[in-house]
Amino acid sequence: MEEAGIKCSKEEYLQWFMRNWVGGPLVALQHLVGGALCIPAVLKMGDPRVYSSLACLGIMNEMGFEIQDVIKTLYFFTPAEVPGFALFLIFIHHSLTTCLGLPTILCYRNLSTLHWLCFDLQGAAAVSTFIYEYTKILDVTKRGELKQFLILSWISFLVMLITRFFHWVYLVGEFIFVWYNDKAWAFLVVGTFFLLIFSYFNFAIVLKSMYGRLQKFMKMSAEHDSLPSNFVATGTISIFVAV
């Protein structure tokens, strides 16, 4: 949360978690549905007209979620709950699909790059969010649950690293190449802008914060391993320390 400009105590984070506990699983489910709709397109299963339409539905599913999330954030939350920098990150995160989703559907609905981009972004977000929500309930003062926390966190990080760094860079380059070849100058200028600012969100916010969280708990794991096997820890569960 600190990466988003939100600083709070453990007690404040707990209160926030209790008020918003249902939101995370619902967001993960929405992303899972959106990503699943793109599977036939990325695997080229069946009629291209059908799987392209399903992928476009996945994009529109994400557009609907992001538009309502912006409206909800602006209407329900106060500046104290959502600082300016956090609001800026929300707009960066939602700008890509909200601004480019419909134009790309109208002009590039059959482009496999578009299908892969939708699949990567929503599928990886679903995996990461489900893992994040589950690890909140783990008691990281217990060796077994801390190991489970680390394994799942590594899976989440690697999924994000592949989809939001390596494959993301390839897909962005492919999109820019297509727009340049098509002489679609509006897409090239506007689209490249939104792809670059979303790249900042991927690299500087998502991957950086996930790696920092991993480092924190790997250090905790090393400290646990140095303790006697009969040591009994007491303390907080991971919903506190995952701020």
Side-chain angles (χ1 to χ4, degrees):
M1 291 180 72
E2 289 184 0
E3 293 289 343
I6 303 174
K7 295 183 179 181
C8 60
S9 65
K10 292 178 180 179
E11 182 62 29
E12 288 172 331
Y13 179 74
L14 177 60
Q15 293 300 318
W16 175 87
F17 169 74
M18 292 174 66
R19 290 197 309 270
N20 298 280
W21 69 271
V22 73
L26 288 176
V27 170
L29 182 61
Q30 177 269 317
H31 281 79
L32 180 64
V33 171
L37 286 168
C38 298
I39 291 176
V42 299
L43 297 179
K44 300 189 182 303
M45 297 168 52
D47 189 333
R49 294 171 299 178
V50 175
Y51 65 61
S52 293
S53 296
L54 288 173
C56 291
L57 182 59
I59 297 169
M60 294 175 69
N61 168 64
E62 179 67 8
M63 285 175 60
F65 161 73
E66 293 186 349
I67 291 170
Q68 70 80 29
D69 191 52
V70 169
I71 294 172
K72 179 193 71 175
T73 302
L74 293 175
Y75 185 80
F76 288 106
F77 292 95
T78 65
E81 292 177 297
V82 185
F85 183 64
L87 193 62
F88 171 68
L89 292 180
I90 290 172
F91 284 127
I92 286 180
H93 176 259
H94 292 342
S95 65
L96 183 66
T97 306
T98 304
C99 297
L100 289 183
L102 193 55
T104 51
I105 286 173
L106 293 174
C107 299
Y108 293 99
R109 61 177 287 114
N110 297 313
L111 184 65
S112 62
T113 308
L114 177 63
H115 306 155
W116 269 107
L117 199 68
C118 182
F119 173 74
D120 277 4
L121 292 177
Q122 295 202 69
V127 171
S128 180
T129 305
F130 275 126
I131 287 176
Y132 178 68
E133 293 300 320
Y134 174 73
T135 55
K136 283 180 179 179
I137 65 174
L138 295 177
D139 185 349
V140 294
T141 63
K142 298 177 181 177
R143 277 191 175 94
E145 295 194 29
L146 177 57
K147 295 296 184 185
Q148 187 181 163
F149 180 98
L150 283 173
I151 291 171
L152 289 172
S153 295
W154 267 111
I155 292 172
S156 178
F157 176 71
L158 290 174
V159 167
M160 282 293 193
L161 184 65
I162 293 169
T163 58
R164 299 218 176 187
F165 182 78
F166 295 110
H167 202 210
W168 168 262
V169 171
Y170 171 78
L171 292 174
V172 167
E174 204 168 54
F175 247 131
I176 293 173
F177 183 74
V178 167
W179 292 333
Y180 178 79
N181 276 350
D182 290 349
K183 295 182 171 53
W185 307 124
F187 270 113
L188 186 62
V189 174
V190 178
T192 300
F193 170 75
F194 284 115
L195 288 172
L196 289 178
I197 63 171
F198 199 86
S199 297
Y200 164 78
F201 177 83
N202 282 341
F203 306 155
I205 304 300
V206 175
L207 291 172
K208 181 182 177 182
S209 63
M210 291 181 76
Y211 184 68
R213 188 167 181 250
L214 266 175
Q215 284 185 311
K216 176 179 180 179
F217 287 99
M218 287 174 64
K219 181 180 179 182
M220 180 183 290
S221 179
E223 292 172 351
H224 273 231
D225 291 342
S226 67
L227 296 173
S229 59
N230 61 349
F231 181 81
V232 178
T234 60
T236 59
I237 58 177
S238 67
I239 61 170
F240 294 130
V241 290
V243 177

